[in-house]
């Protein structure tokens, strides 16, 4: 019964959200004008404020429909809902402010609006979390089920079935399998739901059984059947999902893209491919690097003097590195070794007690102070504050043949520090582990992830036993 009422639940969500917004208005009004906790100001009567709360509520509901907030989210994590809640209420506030500006309403409390916004985001997030957890518990007990039919009883279909059993909170129940080449499962899979027919029996099964979703888990050589399968499912009003036979080759987060009007599977979701994310990261890089250079300017001058006094040669050491999109650039460091030939500096790996280091240079490397000139690389756009560490072309050519997915790190700008380095993978440590951390960072980038890495680097990474 619950399973067939998604339309009713959507309406209930809309009504509940709208009512919650008005209740939060009453709370915000009381806190601002009645509690005595804040400075008192009341240029408009409560009726006028309540009118604007109704307008805000309408904008929030319409925005919610626009961003898909009221669509079924059984397979979505709560973080998806939280992001949508933030989007909806920030847009709704901007919409309300626009209405107030057009109508030339200026006598409205900004403190009241701030309390109202924070209250809406907090309360709706909390009650949505309670609802989501409640629905999970209901599904785990066998209620609110969605029924699934799997087409293909081979390794792909069985693997999907196995994985689904690990997520009872999703509320999916497999009715059975359809397969043209197997009439029953091998002995070790006898406990699985049965094979109830062939692919040609799909229409009859859909007419007889209540099926919510059909999962196509067929091999690529059966692709000519996909069109008829999808047409049959759509005729019966059943959702169809396809598991690509080559999904083992895909990374954790592929996504659909569109190129020249043709849908494509982009095998790696990179948040920094989005312009707004690149703009945010680049703006932070410029501001942070400029501040760091200004703050450390006396230290930079002192280090330059120390290098000049302790060893002959230039203060700054520049070395070719491979950066964004495999383009090379010159990375700057304070010189910590004696002057070497180009082949020595480009092709020799630094080792513990390296005889090429100067005494002052050993101190600089141990404290990571030799890295400070790289903030100028950041200002020039060759590097970022946070990102995979860039490597010399000689070693890039070597590692890309030995380390799987090594070259993925060049999809974004290299960094002064990174997720691998903040976790201790610097100097003479595992290249495979570094790449694993780098790819995790690339696929999971957020602005706050960068802040976390910077803080972790400051706390844990300045003194490093592997920095030779």
């Amino acid at each position: 019964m619950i399973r067939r009422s998604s339309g009713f639940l959507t309406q209930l969500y809309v009504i509940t959200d709208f009512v919650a917004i008005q209740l939060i208005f009453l709370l915000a009004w009381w806190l601002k004008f009645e509690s005595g906790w804040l400075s008192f100001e009341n240029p408009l009567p409560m009726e006028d404020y309540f009118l604007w709360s109704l307008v805000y509520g309408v904008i929030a509901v319409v925005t919610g429909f626009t961003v898909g907030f009221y669509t079924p989210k059984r397979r979505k994590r709560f973080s998806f809902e939280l992001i949508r809640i933030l989007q909806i209420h920030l847009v709704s506030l901007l919409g309300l402010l626009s209405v107030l500006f057009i109508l030339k309403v200026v006598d409205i409390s900004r403190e009241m609006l701030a309390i109202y916004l924070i209250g809406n985001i907090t309360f709706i997030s909390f009650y949505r979390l309670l609802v989501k957890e409640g629905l999970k518990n209901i599904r785990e007990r066998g209620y609110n089920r969605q029924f699934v039919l799997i087409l293909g009883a081979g390794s792909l279909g069985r693997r999907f079935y196995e994985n689904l059993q690990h997520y009872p909170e999703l509320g999916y129940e497999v009715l059975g399998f359809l397969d043209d080449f197997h009439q029953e499962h091998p002995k070790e899979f006898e406990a699985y739901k049965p094979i109830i027919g062939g692919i040609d029996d799909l229409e009859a099964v859909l007419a007889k059984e209540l099926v919510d979703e059909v999962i196509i888990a067929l091999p690529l050589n059966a692709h000519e059947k996909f069109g008829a399968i999808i047409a049959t499912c759509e005729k019966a009003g059943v959702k169809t999902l396809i598991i690509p036979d080559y999904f083992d080759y895909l990374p954790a987060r592929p996504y659909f893209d569109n190129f020249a009007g043709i849908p494509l599977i982009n095998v790696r979701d990179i948040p920094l491919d989005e312009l707004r994310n690149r703009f945010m990261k680049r703006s932070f890089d410029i501001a942070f690097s400029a501040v760091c250079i200004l703050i450390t300017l006396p230290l930079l001058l002192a280090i330059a003097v120390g290098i000049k006094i302790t060893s002959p040669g230039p203060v700054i050491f520049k070395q070719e590195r491979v950066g964004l999109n495999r383009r090379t650039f010159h990375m700057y460091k304070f010189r910590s070794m004696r002057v070497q030939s180009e082949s020595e500096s480009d092709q020799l790996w630094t080792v513990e007690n390296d005889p090429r280091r100067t005494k002052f240079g050993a101190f600089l490397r141990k404290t990571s102070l030799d890295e400070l000139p790289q903030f100028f690389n950041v200002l020039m756009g060759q590097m970022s504050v946070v990102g995979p560490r860039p490597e010399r072309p000689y070693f890039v050519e070597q590692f890309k043949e030995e380390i799987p997915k090594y070259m993925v790190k060049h999809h974004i700008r290299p960094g002064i520090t990174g997720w691998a380095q903040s976790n201790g993978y610097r100097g003479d440590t595992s290249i495979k582990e570094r790449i694993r951390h780098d790819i995790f960072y690339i696929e999971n980038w957020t602005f706050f992830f960068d802040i976390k890495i910077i803080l972790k680097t400051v706390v844990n990474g300045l003194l490093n036993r592997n920095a030779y």
Side-chain angles (χ1 to χ4, degrees):
M1 184 67 183
I2 299 175
R3 188 171 50 82
R4 299 183 180 184
S5 58
S6 60
F8 170 74
L9 287 176
T10 295
Q11 296 171 14
L12 187 61
Y13 271 136
V14 170
I15 294 171
T16 306
D17 283 359
F18 189 81
V19 171
I21 288 170
Q22 308 317 315
L23 292 175
I24 293 299
F25 158 74
L26 295 175
L27 176 62
W29 172 272
W30 180 81
L31 286 172
K32 174 59 184 172
F33 300 117
E34 302 291 342
S35 68
W37 298 343
L38 301 172
S39 58
F40 181 80
E41 54 173 300
N42 189 8
L44 293 177
M46 180 180 182
E47 292 78 10
D48 288 357
Y49 275 93
F50 186 64
L51 174 63
W52 302 128
S53 181
L54 293 174
V55 172
Y56 180 98
V58 171
I59 296 173
V61 169
V62 172
T63 306
F65 276 108
T66 303
V67 300
F69 187 56
Y70 296 111
T71 57
K73 293 177 284 293
R74 183 183 292 250
R75 293 190 291 265
K76 299 286 187 181
R77 295 181 179 179
F78 177 69
S79 58
F80 171 85
E81 290 192 57
L82 184 59
I83 291 171
R84 289 290 182 266
I85 290 169
L86 291 171
Q87 289 176 334
I88 288 167
H89 289 281
L90 290 174
V91 168
S92 299
L93 181 64
L94 291 174
L96 177 60
L97 292 175
S98 300
V99 172
L100 295 174
F101 176 78
I102 292 170
L103 298 178
K104 298 182 179 179
V105 178
V106 295
D107 296 325
I108 192 165
S109 170
R110 281 175 277 185
E111 283 186 358
M112 162 79 178
L113 288 177
I115 296 169
Y116 186 43
L117 174 66
I118 295 170
N120 278 318
I121 292 173
T122 303
F123 179 77
I124 292 178
S125 298
F126 180 69
Y127 107 75
R128 282 301 186 103
L129 177 60
L130 290 180
V131 169
K132 194 170 186 69
E133 291 301 317
L135 288 174
K136 281 184 179 180
N137 290 331
I138 289 172
R139 291 167 188 151
E140 286 178 347
R141 294 177 184 179
Y143 300 99
N144 193 18
R145 311 294 285 177
Q146 292 269 320
F147 295 106
V148 174
L149 182 66
I150 301 176
L151 306 191
S155 60
L156 198 61
R158 291 197 299 266
R159 185 167 172 184
F160 173 77
Y161 178 87
E162 291 169 5
N163 288 353
L164 199 58
Q165 307 315 302
H166 295 117
Y167 298 95
E169 71 277 7
L170 295 179
Y172 284 98
E173 181 176 335
V174 176
L175 292 171
F177 295 78
L178 296 183
D179 194 283
D180 286 338
F181 301 100
H182 303 87
Q183 293 184 344
E184 58 183 27
H185 295 297
K187 192 171 184 178
E188 62 268 32
F189 304 112
E190 285 179 348
Y192 287 13
K193 289 297 179 73
I195 300 171
I196 57 179
I199 303 300
D200 293 337
D201 297 320
L202 175 61
E203 187 169 5
V205 173
L206 294 182
K208 179 182 177 182
E209 303 286 347
L210 195 54
V211 179
D212 295 292
E213 296 183 6
V214 168
I215 308 296
I216 301 177
L218 298 173
L220 283 178
N221 56 18
H223 73 276
E224 70 277 357
K225 298 182 180 181
F226 284 18
I229 291 170
I230 294 171
T232 300
C233 291
E234 292 187 339
K235 180 181 176 181
V238 176
K239 293 180 181 179
T240 313
L241 296 94
I242 301 173
I243 303 175
D245 189 32
Y246 44 85
F247 86 103
D248 279 334
Y249 300 103
L250 300 178
R253 296 176 58 186
Y255 70 101
F256 271 98
D257 205 342
N258 190 288
F259 185 71
I262 301 295
L264 303 174
I265 297 176
N266 191 323
V267 300
R268 197 172 298 280
D269 182 15
I270 300 177
L272 286 171
D273 280 346
E274 293 188 25
L275 179 61
R276 62 181 178 178
N277 291 338
R278 291 202 306 273
F279 177 79
M280 183 188 305
K281 185 172 176 65
R282 183 65 186 140
S283 299
F284 174 77
D285 282 344
I286 293 172
F288 187 85
S289 298
V291 169
C292 286
I293 290 171
L294 289 175
I295 291 175
T296 62
L297 189 58
L299 179 61
L300 296 176
L301 295 174
I303 292 173
V305 171
I307 293 172
K308 272 295 184 185
I309 292 174
T310 56
S311 65
V315 170
I316 298 296
F317 169 72
K318 65 178 183 178
Q319 188 177 60
E320 188 178 34
R321 298 286 175 115
V322 181
L324 176 65
N325 294 326
R326 306 180 307 282
R327 273 39 172 200
T328 59
F329 69 98
H330 283 101
M331 187 182 79
Y332 301 119
K333 300 176 73 172
F334 279 124
R335 184 174 58 82
S336 58
M337 296 188 176
R338 60 176 175 78
V339 177
Q340 310 167 59
S341 67
E342 190 170 322
S343 61
E344 279 184 301
S345 63
D346 289 348
Q347 298 180 18
L348 292 180
W349 196 258
T350 308
V351 296
E352 189 172 7
N353 299 319
D354 198 307
R356 297 172 296 167
R357 295 178 308 172
T358 64
K359 289 184 178 180
F360 187 58
F363 165 75
L364 294 178
R365 296 178 74 89
K366 199 69 177 177
T367 57
S368 299
L369 293 175
D370 62 323
E371 312 281 0
L372 289 176
Q374 288 162 41
F375 283 115
F376 291 98
N377 286 115
V378 175
L379 287 179
M380 289 187 289
Q382 299 162 333
M383 293 179 66
S384 178
V385 175
V386 179
R389 285 294 292 168
E391 191 48 84
R392 288 162 280 182
Y394 174 81
F395 290 107
V396 169
E397 291 299 315
Q398 177 181 328
F399 292 149
K400 78 176 184 179
E401 300 297 334
E402 300 173 356
I403 311 296
K405 303 180 183 179
Y406 180 83
M407 298 301 287
V408 172
K409 65 184 284 186
H410 300 111
H411 287 333
I412 65 172
R413 281 190 180 93
I416 297 176
T417 185
W419 183 230
Q421 287 67 41
S422 66
N423 281 282
Y425 292 102
R426 293 184 56 191
D428 190 16
T429 54
S430 170
I431 304 297
K432 287 184 179 180
E433 281 301 311
R434 285 195 227 176
I435 293 303
R436 188 175 68 83
H437 281 74
D438 288 342
I439 291 177
F440 179 85
Y441 170 78
I442 290 169
E443 293 184 338
N444 295 275
W445 177 89
T446 65
F447 175 74
F448 293 105
F449 195 11
D450 274 1
I451 301 299
K452 175 182 177 179
I453 291 170
I454 291 171
L455 293 176
K456 195 170 182 180
T457 300
V458 171
V459 173
N460 300 328
L462 293 180
L463 292 174
N464 181 40
R465 65 169 184 249
N466 296 316
Y468 303 143

